[in-house]
Amino acid sequence: MRAKIIAAIILALSAWLTLLPARADDSLKRVIDQKTLTVGVAINPPWILKKAGGKFAGYDVDLTNALASDLGVELKLVEVPWNDLKARLLKGDFDLIAAGYANTPERARDVVFSNPTGAADIRVVASIASLGKRPSKALTAPGYKIAVLSNSTDEAAAKEAFPKAEILSFNNTTDVFAALIGGNAQAMVATSPTPQMAARLYDAKFKLVGGPLLRTPEAFALRPDDIRLVQYVNDWIGARTADGTISGVRRYWFGGFKWMSRFDTGAKPEQAKPKQ
């Protein structure tokens, strides 16, 4: 009888304990104690780009600078190839990803996304010479060459919209841009404002075609176990959205192209090799 009572008490205690909130992890404390917020980036104008001297700038650089400042820590940016961002985050090489990284169901299987920091359209910019008099027909013709960023929402949108096209995948945005400018590709599918940048820089050679193929939310990506850091980042996004900080930064980088003259946007005519 006594054993049954003890067992009942243990079961009751176990049920009660499951209702208690999990102990907070130390992810936020880790960042504060290390006095550094480490962020993984990949070149992707205007989210992430470089000055001639190698210093980073861009929309996500401004946001993570403000985030680090509010945390009272230094910002450390670690540049890696686009395709390595998720693996390096999960390995623990940085605290979060900030590179115009779209929140997708596929990526969300492995990482946790913050609340959105913005949203952008995926669009097509093409060589005027390749379009002829019927642009829509040219884009859907078999073998039409379209450059995209490998393993990106741009690539997925291009494959769905243009199933007969030859999709050329590159490991970074600079090479996607270079493929279009250098003539290796007849068009480029990319997240705005990259297509608008190409059309503006080379208005006699390229033009935007059609409307958006897809609209994607941008967010920071974090490790699933870093619950407390995720909570802080979401609270920070909420506060800085409410006070207009994020919208002000976005207006500068997405509302115009005055910044283009100050930075290397990767608009180079060197030929690039697509990913095999």
Side-chain angles (χ1 to χ4, degrees):
M1 183 68 178
R2 184 179 180 183
K4 289 183 178 180
I5 293 174
I6 293 174
I9 292 172
I10 291 173
L11 287 172
L13 285 172
S14 297
W16 177 72
L17 287 172
T18 60
L19 298 177
L20 293 177
R23 183 178 65 85
D25 66 277
D26 65 352
S27 54
L28 180 60
K29 184 176 184 298
R30 178 191 72 226
V31 171
I32 294 172
D33 287 349
Q34 292 176 352
K35 299 181 180 180
T36 304
L37 177 67
T38 306
V39 176
V41 301
I43 300 302
N44 187 23
W47 294 270
I48 304 290
L49 45 88
K50 277 185 176 180
K51 293 182 179 180
K55 186 177 180 180
F56 290 105
Y59 174 70
D60 274 341
V61 175
D62 284 355
L63 290 191
T64 50
N65 258 317
L67 173 60
S69 177
D70 285 338
L71 276 167
V73 302
E74 297 294 321
L75 176 66
K76 179 182 179 182
L77 301 177
V78 179
E79 182 183 0
V80 300
W82 177 268
N83 286 327
D84 293 345
L85 282 169
K86 184 173 70 174
R88 294 282 295 273
L89 171 69
L90 296 175
K91 183 182 175 183
D93 289 349
F94 27 81
D95 300 307
L96 58 86
I97 296 170
Y101 207 60
N103 180 344
T104 68
E106 294 75 21
R107 290 172 180 164
R109 295 171 185 169
D110 302 309
V111 303
V112 171
F113 283 97
S114 70
N115 293 338
T117 58
D121 295 328
I122 295 177
R123 299 199 60 179
V124 182
V125 61
S127 161
I128 295 172
S130 72
L131 294 173
K133 295 182 179 180
R134 300 179 65 183
S136 59
K137 185 174 181 180
L139 284 166
T140 56
Y144 191 83
K145 295 182 178 180
I146 301 176
V148 298
L149 180 63
S150 176
N151 294 323
S152 67
T153 49
D154 305 336
E155 182 177 44
K159 287 181 176 179
E160 182 173 349
F162 310 111
K164 295 181 180 179
E166 182 180 350
I167 305 298
L168 306 178
S169 300
F170 296 86
N171 286 326
N172 59 72
T173 303
T174 300
D175 286 345
V176 174
F177 216 151
L180 177 65
I181 297 165
N184 280 356
Q186 296 161 295
M188 170 178 71
V189 169
T191 302
S192 296
T194 302
Q196 290 90 327
M197 286 165 49
R200 183 181 180 113
L201 282 169
Y202 303 92
D203 59 343
K205 191 174 181 181
F206 306 117
K207 74 172 186 177
L208 294 169
V209 182
L213 300 180
L214 184 69
R215 188 167 179 80
T216 60
E218 306 153 19
F220 300 139
L222 301 95
R223 285 186 293 276
D225 293 338
D226 286 354
I227 299 170
R228 186 65 187 91
L229 183 58
V230 172
Q231 290 174 335
Y232 180 86
V233 169
N234 283 337
D235 290 342
W236 181 87
I237 291 171
R240 295 302 172 230
T241 297
D243 70 9
T245 297
I246 291 179
S247 61
V249 174
R250 196 164 189 87
R251 276 195 302 272
Y252 175 77
W253 291 105
F254 292 83
F257 298 100
K258 292 180 179 179
W259 53 266
M260 282 175 47
S261 61
R262 299 169 50 213
F263 302 107
D264 176 9
T265 62
K268 302 174 183 177
E270 291 89 348
Q271 297 203 350
K273 294 181 180 180
K275 183 179 178 181
Q276 300 299 319

